[in-house]
Amino acid sequence: MIFRNGQKKADLCMALGTSLCGMNADQLVTKTAHRAMSAWDKRIKKSAQKSLGSVIVSLQQTQYDNICTLRIYAKLDVVMALLAKEMGLTIDTHMYEPNVPKELIVRPDVFIVPYDENGNLSKNTKTHWNLMKGAKIKVTDGPGTGYEGIVSGKNEDGHYICTLPNQREGSISQGKVLSKYMLGSWWVESAINGNAPKLPVVNINEIKT
């Protein structure tokens, strides 16, 4: 629902560090860009003239560079630092750690979350979300729905690394070659609070509580 609303109503979309190679999420970029392009046509409705379009920031070219409002070829750290300076923001350089109540921690990297076995938010069911190294997981949505893999560990910033079949839609490697995907540690805090309608991955043979 949030994704569909974004496609239809977003005034500005920023694509940061993505190759935009054909994932369904690319539509956020393209549809927002096209609304802005249509706004330049005097024949369209005034309401469409509010769209600012899409901004793409990455080192490599993408197939949508020609329709974006602003294209920046640079590293994200450099661009975001300059943007923060321009906006007068002070950046907290401490590594983020999820704020999780002790009673919701079963053991390190295993959390009690209000989601069912399919990863859907639930008022009646709670499960153990196991993100320990070696835990078996399954993708719940997108072009990789149903793909199975494992949690390979964490990176130096505390984010989880998942090894799964390639999920790039339309790629000859889709579902055939194993790839590494990052699951941001912020997902833990979001999950225990039930902030998302669905978990991105669920465990295979998880424990209900």
Side-chain angles (χ1 to χ4, degrees):
M1 182 63 71
I2 295 175
F3 176 67
R4 289 194 293 269
N5 286 340
Q7 290 183 65
K8 296 177 181 178
K9 299 180 180 180
D11 296 323
L12 174 67
C13 177
M14 297 181 67
L16 307 177
T18 173
S19 57
L20 297 170
C21 296
M23 300 290 281
N24 194 36
D26 293 1
Q27 294 184 64
L28 285 169
V29 175
T30 58
K31 292 189 176 182
T32 305
H34 285 137
R35 275 195 296 277
M37 294 173 71
S38 296
W40 301 333
D41 188 336
K42 295 181 180 179
R43 293 172 296 178
I44 54 87
K45 297 179 181 179
K46 291 183 179 180
S47 61
Q49 296 176 3
K50 297 178 181 179
S51 180
L52 299 173
S54 295
V55 176
I56 301 176
V57 183
S58 66
L59 291 173
Q60 68 186 88
Q61 292 182 326
T62 79
Q63 59 184 320
Y64 303 122
D65 290 352
N66 63 317
I67 65 172
C68 64
T69 302
L70 177 63
R71 182 62 169 95
I72 301 174
Y73 293 94
K75 292 183 177 181
L76 294 185
D77 287 350
V78 174
V79 175
M80 293 298 104
L82 291 171
L83 180 60
K85 182 178 180 180
E86 181 67 22
M87 296 178 68
L89 300 176
T90 301
I91 306 300
D92 186 354
T93 58
H94 292 89
M95 188 172 73
Y96 166 79
E97 292 185 12
N99 182 17
V100 184
K102 291 182 179 180
E103 61 270 20
L104 296 181
I105 302 175
V106 180
R107 53 186 179 275
D109 299 317
V110 181
F111 312 94
I112 299 174
V113 296
Y115 293 83
D116 63 20
E117 63 274 12
N118 296 313
N120 296 309
L121 185 63
S122 174
K123 294 182 179 180
N124 304 314
T125 303
K126 291 186 177 182
T127 55
H128 289 181
W129 201 27
N130 183 358
L131 299 177
M132 293 177 63
K133 184 176 181 180
K136 295 181 179 180
I137 54 175
K138 179 171 65 175
V139 179
T140 62
D141 207 351
T145 300
Y147 288 179
E148 297 183 3
I150 63 169
V151 178
S152 302
K154 294 182 180 180
N155 66 11
E156 59 183 8
D157 294 320
H159 303 303
Y160 298 94
I161 303 300
C162 302
T163 300
L164 292 157
N166 187 290
Q167 300 179 59
R168 181 170 292 176
E169 194 170 18
S171 170
I172 59 173
S173 299
Q174 184 180 5
K176 301 175 182 178
V177 178
L178 292 179
S179 299
K180 302 288 186 182
Y181 295 93
M182 184 175 73
L183 179 70
S185 60
W186 59 82
W187 260 107
V188 173
E189 189 170 341
S190 180
I192 64 167
N193 291 311
N195 291 335
K198 195 167 191 174
L199 295 175
V201 296
V202 293
N203 292 115
I204 301 171
N205 300 322
E206 83 297 330
I207 300 174
K208 295 182 181 180
T209 60

